[in-house]
Amino acid sequence: RCHHPVVEMLDLPFLPFCILLGVLGFVCVAFVSAWCQYWRGGFAWDGSIQMFNWHPVLMVTGMVVLYGAASLVYRLPVSWSGPKLPWKVLHSSLALAAFILAVLGLVAVFRFHNDHGTPNMYSLHSWLGLATILLFSCQWLAGFSTFLLPWAPAWLRGLYKPVHVFFGSTILLLAVASCVSGINEKLFFSLKNGTTQYKLLPAEAVFANTLGLLILLFGVLVLGALARPSWKRPDADSPDSRQ
């Protein structure tokens, strides 16, 4: 690789960026938890509105923060040397944990809707969210079958890898869009009476809108890290990567 001195000075080290991103992910989870606890009445698993509150918390934690972490496993410099198999296992495990949390989030919202006679799957947010989960499940199964199971030949892995990378970024983008649209939808449904109207921008609206911006910032930073050439694994085509 050719390095220009100015480019090298402006090239941010990955470790400080990773710490910053980790703090931002923690803040996103803390914000959505505080919103549901302080303004939406807390948590339960009994079909009540408190059960619905698990939905945004689990989705933000799983489909945004954990999935973003899974996407960046191969950007860790320590993963660039030695066998790639442990990092494949870590990548797939984080993605699987994100999927499990997302499924629990779906259970929470569907049970709440069914117990209260609310129709399912009628809003753009619900369509976008379910499409994201379905695409994610296909992505995980295809990646597990191709890269972790020993049957796939090298040519198939090489053929599928760009597709896997593309849909990985696409799913994160869809997850961020789903979360942001869900926050906005919840505010419209909840803040519509008296002095708490959404158009009057009460404290809850400011807090939740800030949460949406933080989620968007997290997603943009992850996608930026994935696109940064200097942070990509340099030996992506070595025999070791096809073990």
Side-chain angles (χ1 to χ4, degrees), residues 21-22 24-26 28-29 59-71 98 172 215 218 222:
L21 197 63
L24 181 58
F26 176 81
C28 288
V29 175
M59 289 303 184
V60 171
T61 304
M63 290 304 300
V64 177
V65 178
L66 272 183
Y67 185 73
S71 302
L172 179 62
I215 292 172
F218 183 90
V222 172

Side-chain angles (χ1 to χ4, degrees), residues 17-35:
F17 173 85
C18 194
I19 294 173
L20 171 65
L21 197 63
V23 172
L24 181 58
F26 176 81
V27 171
C28 288
V29 175
F31 262 59
V32 68
S33 301
W35 176 36

Side-chain angles (χ1 to χ4, degrees), residues 4-225:
H4 192 278
V6 176
V7 175
E8 289 183 345
M9 285 191 300
L10 295 177
D11 195 15
L12 179 68
F14 180 77
L15 183 57
F17 173 85
C18 194
I19 294 173
L20 171 65
L21 197 63
V23 172
L24 181 58
F26 176 81
V27 171
C28 288
V29 175
F31 262 59
V32 68
S33 301
W35 176 36
C36 294
Q37 178 66 44
Y38 182 76
W39 278 287
R40 297 290 102 215
F43 303 93
W45 198 264
D46 55 4
S48 65
I49 184 64
Q50 284 74 30
M51 183 173 180
F52 173 87
N53 290 338
W54 281 111
H55 176 69
V57 173
L58 292 172
M59 289 303 184
V60 171
T61 304
M63 290 304 300
V64 177
V65 178
L66 272 183
Y67 185 73
S71 302
L72 294 177
V73 164
Y74 297 119
R75 298 303 187 269
L76 294 169
V78 69
S79 71
W80 294 358
S81 60
K84 197 175 181 182
L85 182 59
W87 303 103
K88 291 181 180 181
V89 173
L90 178 60
H91 173 73
S92 62
S93 298
L94 287 173
L96 180 60
F99 179 73
I100 292 173
L101 293 183
V103 170
L104 291 175
L106 288 180
V107 171
V109 69
F110 276 110
R111 182 177 171 186
F112 167 74
H113 283 173
N114 293 336
D115 286 358
H116 290 78
T118 304
N120 292 305
M121 304 305 301
Y122 66 90
S123 66
L124 176 60
H125 163 68
S126 62
W127 294 359
L128 187 61
L130 187 60
T132 303
I133 301 300
L134 292 175
L135 185 60
F136 180 31
S137 63
C138 295
Q139 167 89 342
W140 192 92
L141 288 173
F144 179 81
S145 302
T146 305
F147 298 115
L148 273 177
L149 296 182
W151 69 272
W155 67 265
L156 179 60
R157 297 185 183 191
L159 182 67
Y160 175 64
K161 183 179 178 181
V163 178
H164 186 75
V165 172
F166 170 77
F167 278 105
S169 299
T170 301
I171 290 168
L172 179 62
L173 180 64
L174 291 174
V176 169
S178 300
C179 289
V180 172
S181 63
I183 291 169
N184 195 243
E185 181 179 287
K186 182 63 176 177
L187 289 175
F188 273 117
F189 285 158
S190 302
L191 303 180
K192 56 185 178 182
N193 296 316
T195 58
T196 61
Q197 296 181 63
Y198 189 17
K199 66 181 181 181
L200 300 178
L201 203 64
E204 180 181 356
V206 175
F207 190 88
N209 286 344
T210 303
L211 167 63
L213 291 177
L214 290 173
I215 292 172
L216 180 61
L217 177 61
F218 183 90
V220 168
L221 290 178
V222 172
L223 292 175

